[in-house]
Amino acid sequence: MASSLKSLVNDDSRYQKSFKLFLERSSEHQCMLDFIHNLLPDILASIGDGKSHLNVIGVGSGAGEIDLEMLSELRLKHPGVTVDNEVVEPSGQQLHNYRVLVSQKPGLDYIKFNWNKMTASEFEEQWKEKKMTKKADFIHMIQMLYYVKDIGATISFFQSLLAKNGKLLIILVSGKSGFGKLWSTFRNQLCNTEMSQCVTTNDIKSILDSKGVKYQSYELPSQLDITECFTEGDEKGELLLDFLTEVMDFSKTASPELKAGVMELLRHPDCSVESNGKIMFNNNLGVIVTDQLT
Ligand code: SAH
């Protein structure tokens, strides 16, 4: 990234604000919930190998809404199981939100939550230091692999924790999404800092293909309303722009040329469709499911 541009993830408070707005303006969580209710149950059916206790690890869980929904599908598929749920989440704010959600939702007694306020790599370090031998039946990393340094190594580590018939679920933006187009066009200006990379499920597929790892994949249609980004000086539009570019204060800090290029591409048919006066950005997600390595 050009030195004048700061990565959005360096500022947790602004990151969380822009992520919250992104969730409000997009069908992101709805499309994940559709996946969880329609396709995930069959994926979860095969895990566990008949055990009455299952180990789950959520990496980058955020406020936990999606995690709890998956856990409830897991319980439906495996009635009567108890669950040990490791939550790996570096943001204290998000971890707090998750705990509040758990305290408000009835019927979660079958789950024991272990809160790990740390990054994926800190969790890996700790796991290795403690020489843990516990295996996991279901591990998920939803919209978080952008934030790790070595994606291949992170996937390999978590895959090595899978129990027999265990599944690793990865969700990121799809290579065919507007994000994919935006990031591939402006990769050199916007991406590849140490903290945040502009990866899509296409990149994950290439990594897995190069290692000969088999996987199943799904494409989930989703949209993001970016209309406000085109009102100069609009506070919400600027927050969304930060989220799209992963750059902190993009509008104020990017060069006029870069800004013009990004704004033009955002509403280009490669990224968005215009309907009823709204500009809807393609926010399609990609899902990848892998098994234990054999
Ligand atoms: N899975 C949630 C949240 C996605 S946002 C959802 O889909 O709604 C990405 C999350 O990853 C944030 O909560 C962020 O704090 C977390 N995160 C950032 N860097 C991380 C890292 N290195 N390891 C694990 N989680 C990370």
Side-chain angles (χ1 to χ4, degrees):
M1 189 187 286
S3 55
S4 61
L5 298 182
K6 285 208 196 84
S7 180
L8 177 63
V9 285
N10 288 328
D11 181 332
D12 188 48
S13 140
R14 187 158 174 96
Y15 174 81
Q16 299 301 344
K17 237 164 105 180
S18 70
F19 180 56
K20 187 162 172 274
L21 181 64
F22 161 75
L23 289 180
E24 285 166 19
R25 293 290 183 271
S26 68
S27 59
E28 168 101 353
H29 273 181
Q30 191 50 53
C31 103
M32 285 181 190
L33 293 176
D34 291 344
F35 167 77
I36 290 169
H37 298 141
N38 299 323
L39 296 167
L40 189 67
D42 281 347
I43 296 169
L44 294 178
S46 60
I47 70 161
D49 206 26
K51 290 178 298 196
S52 60
H53 179 80
L54 300 176
N55 292 324
V56 174
I57 305 177
V59 192
S61 291
E65 307 99 327
I66 298 297
D67 293 31
L68 291 188
E69 207 61 32
M70 291 193 290
L71 287 164
S72 110
E73 284 297 339
L74 178 69
R75 172 88 160 174
L76 281 174
K77 272 290 157 194
H78 302 272
V81 288
T82 52
V83 173
D84 221 38
N85 185 35
E86 299 284 346
V87 179
V88 182
E89 170 56 61
S91 160
Q93 183 58 50
Q94 289 294 59
L95 212 54
H96 171 77
N97 296 344
Y98 195 158
R99 294 176 90 133
V100 170
L101 189 66
V102 168
S103 72
Q104 289 168 346
K105 199 171 162 151
L108 298 179
D109 298 347
Y110 66 96
I111 309 168
K112 179 172 175 278
F113 289 89
N114 302 315
W115 306 103
N116 302 277
K117 185 184 173 305
M118 57 184 78
T119 63
S121 62
E122 287 162 355
F123 181 79
E124 175 174 351
E125 234 170 78
Q126 180 185 295
W127 197 270
K128 287 177 173 163
E129 255 168 36
K130 290 189 180 164
K131 299 197 168 51
M132 300 286 285
T133 52
K134 187 166 120 176
K135 293 287 172 188
D137 301 288
F138 180 48
I139 303 177
H140 54 85
M141 326 178 138
I142 300 185
Q143 294 286 44
M144 68 70 59
L145 278 174
Y146 315 107
Y147 311 115
V148 305
K149 220 187 255 178
D150 186 338
I151 294 172
T154 304
I155 296 176
S156 297
F157 168 69
F158 283 97
Q159 210 175 12
S160 78
L161 302 187
L162 287 176
K164 183 167 178 231
N165 295 338
K167 298 273 185 200
L168 170 66
L169 169 79
I170 295 169
I171 300 184
L172 287 177
V173 295
S174 153
K176 295 183 201 119
S177 67
F179 281 102
K181 184 71 195 170
L182 177 69
W183 292 344
S184 61
T185 308
F186 294 102
R187 190 169 286 276
N188 294 333
Q189 289 104 307
L190 298 177
C191 306
N192 286 323
T193 62
E194 240 184 32
M195 290 283 285
S196 164
Q197 313 177 43
C198 298
V199 285
T200 71
T201 44
N202 276 359
D203 302 298
I204 306 300
K205 287 177 187 172
S206 311
I207 292 173
L208 295 177
D209 287 340
S210 73
K211 293 183 177 176
V213 174
K214 299 242 177 331
Y215 54 86
Q216 298 139 266
S217 66
Y218 310 85
E219 183 89 9
L220 314 179
S222 172
Q223 288 191 319
L224 165 67
D225 183 348
I226 59 167
T227 316
E228 289 154 306
C229 296
F230 296 90
T231 306
E232 190 69 40
D234 185 288
E235 205 183 313
K236 293 200 161 155
E238 290 189 351
L239 259 184
L240 274 180
L241 263 181
D242 284 12
F243 192 82
L244 286 159
T245 56
E246 303 263 308
V247 171
M248 164 104 172
D249 288 326
F250 178 78
S251 272
K252 300 195 178 86
T253 57
S255 68
E257 298 74 38
L258 177 60
K259 204 175 150 191
V262 166
M263 297 312 283
E264 190 189 331
L265 182 59
L266 282 178
R267 67 191 308 165
H268 188 276
D270 282 349
C271 290
S272 294
V273 290
E274 301 206 26
S275 72
N276 299 327
K278 295 211 170 296
I279 303 167
M280 303 304 285
F281 185 74
N282 179 327
N283 183 50
N284 284 11
L285 302 179
V287 179
I288 292 179
V289 180
T290 67
D291 299 313
Q292 185 193 30
L293 284 178
T294 44

